[in-house]
């Protein structure tokens, strides 16, 4: 019986961790608009105004599909050493960077 309880607890903890990793958190609508504007204008300056690439690589679902979301979040927050990619952590929270990375992997509508 203890083994079943431990297995049940472990399963519940795993489900909880996965749910939190996907994050039901979403910024307020006004902040969402600000983040999309930042993405289009500031990120678009290097990644192309349509995010199809430029100085930086494309930020399309196809180009980001194989990259884990946490890799994208870290890149957004910390930048990329040896490249023009700056760190955005002075301007974004981890939750906001996660929200942006999730949107990028899903595709940003025009």
């Amino acid at each position: 019986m203890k083994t079943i309880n431990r297995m049940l607890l472990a399963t519940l903890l795993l489900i909880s961790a996965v749910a939190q990793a996907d994050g039901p958190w979403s910024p307020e609508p006004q902040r969402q608009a600000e983040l999309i504007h930042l993405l289009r204008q500031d990120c678009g300056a290097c990644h192309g105004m349509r995010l199809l690439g430029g100085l930086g690589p494309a930020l399309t679902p196809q180009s980001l599909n194989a990259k884990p979301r946490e890799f994208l979040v870290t890149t957004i927050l910390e930048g990329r050493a040896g490249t023009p990619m700056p760190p955005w952590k002075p301007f974004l929270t981890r939750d906001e960077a996660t929200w942006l990375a999730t949107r990028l992997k899903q595709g940003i509508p025009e």
Side-chain angles (χ1 to χ4, degrees), residues 32-76:
Q32 287 182 28
E34 292 168 356
L35 292 170
I36 294 299
H37 180 78
L38 176 122
L39 178 67
R40 292 273 181 211
Q41 298 302 310
D42 293 290
C43 302
C46 289
H47 294 279
M49 297 308 284
R50 297 185 65 217
L51 306 178
L52 298 176
L55 176 63
L59 298 179
T60 62
Q62 298 82 8
S63 65
L64 301 175
N65 187 37
K67 294 179 177 22
R69 186 178 62 185
E70 189 55 36
F71 171 82
L72 299 175
V73 171
T74 300
T75 298
I76 292 167

Side-chain angles (χ1 to χ4, degrees), residues 1-11:
M1 187 67 158
K2 285 184 179 184
T3 302
I4 292 173
N5 286 340
R6 286 183 187 159
M7 289 175 56
L8 179 59
L9 179 60
T11 302

